[in-house]
Amino acid sequence: MSLITLGNSSKAEVTVLTNNFIDNYMPRANGEFVKVYIYLLRLLSDSSCSFSLEQIADRLLCTERDIIRALKYWEKENLLTLHFRNNEDITDITLNAPSVMPETSPSREEVSQPSVSKTSSSLTPDRIKELKKNDEVVQLLYIAEQYLGKTLSPSEMNKILFFYDELKLSADLIEYLIEYSVSRGHKSMRYMETVATAWAQEGINTVEKAKESGSRYSKEYFAILKSMGISGRNPVDTEISFMNTWLNDYGFSIEIIKEACSRTVMTTGQPSFQYADKILSDWKSRNVKDISDIRLLDEAYQKKKTEKASRKTSAGQKSSAANRFNNFHQRQYDFDEYEKKLLNQ
């Protein structure tokens, strides 16, 4: 197990979580990624130190894969720099001071679909002024304020204009987007941008298509939760992140995912998305495409297990036979005395 050296370019002697990070970086990041970043800061609170991915994963109750995903995410955000050995193993991590973050589209880790190249910053001041004179846009902004229960900030207003002018979502669809987000407890404009970007990429341009897409994903989410033995609640963000990875990154069918979840519960006795992810990532590496491929892997595993047990039994029998021979009581005979007794008979 190789150790990784962690260094700090700012030479801070205390654990510091800046307001800039809290205001600009934290809201758009996955909660697990935030946890990893804060833990790295904690490790630096005394002095530079060494650790392994395995150690930090055990400490944070997640997988090494989760840690790597988090580190790569923060590197993309320019909050740290990774150094590798032979382009494979991470050897050093340098934390960088957070800079002022520009408005950007959400990253791949935040959404289940890749982000589009356009951002709200592409709207010029003149175009924004022109859009605000559009009666449909004025009505849309008013509706947004009613749903959110507050006056829109300039940044929030620009996001909605971005949905309308750049992503080409209709006013009806944007209104449904806001209603959809708020009804699920998400009033963050970044969350709405996440959904809007995904809809634009999937070609969802009507309320009907959006409802159909939401219904499809909801059914898949709850089917997976049910196979984990979970009912009576909605999935949390970390669970959704795992499920999106299984459905979109791995490309598995709902049947394969349910099979992995069932095996997880049978093995661990409780629902564990981390354990199920280990199963599914292994199946992905073995190029599993459908349930029949899993059955073949099971058969190969059982065959290998049987052959191993057979070899072990055979070796044990040979050892037992040898021990029986060695344990036999060897009698000592005096043949000269025995011959005399025969002659005297």
Side-chain angles (χ1 to χ4, degrees), residues 120-134 137 154 157-158 161-162 165:
S120 53
S121 62
S122 62
L123 291 171
T124 64
D126 289 341
R127 181 55 179 162
I128 292 174
K129 187 181 297 185
E130 181 182 352
L131 287 170
K132 287 182 179 179
K133 295 178 181 179
N134 184 314
V137 171
M157 195 176 298
N158 289 347
L161 297 180
F162 166 61
D165 197 56

Side-chain angles (χ1 to χ4, degrees), residues 121-177:
S121 62
S122 62
L123 291 171
T124 64
D126 289 341
R127 181 55 179 162
I128 292 174
K129 187 181 297 185
E130 181 182 352
L131 287 170
K132 287 182 179 179
K133 295 178 181 179
N134 184 314
D135 290 340
E136 188 175 47
V137 171
V138 171
Q139 179 68 13
L140 179 60
L141 295 175
Y142 171 79
I143 292 173
E145 290 184 339
Q146 301 310 302
Y147 275 116
L148 296 174
K150 66 172 186 176
T151 300
L152 295 174
S153 68
S155 175
E156 291 170 332
M157 195 176 298
N158 289 347
K159 288 289 185 185
I160 294 176
L161 297 180
F162 166 61
F163 303 158
Y164 182 86
D165 197 56
E166 297 290 335
L167 296 184
K168 305 301 181 184
L169 301 185
S170 67
D172 289 342
L173 185 54
I174 296 173
E175 180 181 342
Y176 174 72
L177 164 65

Side-chain angles (χ1 to χ4, degrees), residues 22 39 46 51 55 71 75 80 116 127 190 199 238 243-244 255 262 284 296 307 313 325 341:
I22 296 172
Y39 188 69
D46 295 324
F51 63 93
Q55 289 171 338
L71 294 176
E75 183 178 44
L80 57 81
V116 295
R127 181 55 179 162
R190 292 191 184 281
W199 284 356
T238 53
M243 290 188 284
N244 284 342
E255 288 75 22
S262 297
K284 177 67 175 178
L296 291 175
E307 291 175 349
T313 300
F325 178 79
K341 287 184 180 180

Side-chain angles (χ1 to χ4, degrees), residues 220-261:
E220 290 177 340
Y221 289 160
F222 285 109
I224 295 171
L225 288 181
K226 185 178 179 180
S227 66
M228 280 280 200
I230 300 172
S231 61
R233 68 167 177 81
N234 292 326
V236 299
D237 289 345
T238 53
E239 293 169 346
I240 291 175
S241 178
F242 273 115
M243 290 188 284
N244 284 342
T245 296
W246 302 340
L247 290 166
N248 301 316
D249 291 355
Y250 296 171
F252 282 138
S253 66
I254 193 67
E255 288 75 22
I256 290 179
I257 296 173
K258 288 168 64 177
E259 179 69 18
C261 293

Side-chain angles (χ1 to χ4, degrees), residues 47-78:
S47 60
S48 296
C49 59
S50 297
F51 63 93
S52 69
L53 295 182
E54 182 181 357
Q55 289 171 338
I56 195 171
D58 289 342
R59 180 66 175 173
L60 299 181
L61 302 178
C62 57
T63 66
E64 291 184 40
R65 178 175 168 275
D66 295 329
I67 303 300
I68 294 173
R69 287 181 62 200
L71 294 176
K72 289 184 176 179
Y73 172 81
W74 292 122
E75 183 178 44
K76 187 187 302 181
E77 296 294 319
N78 295 319

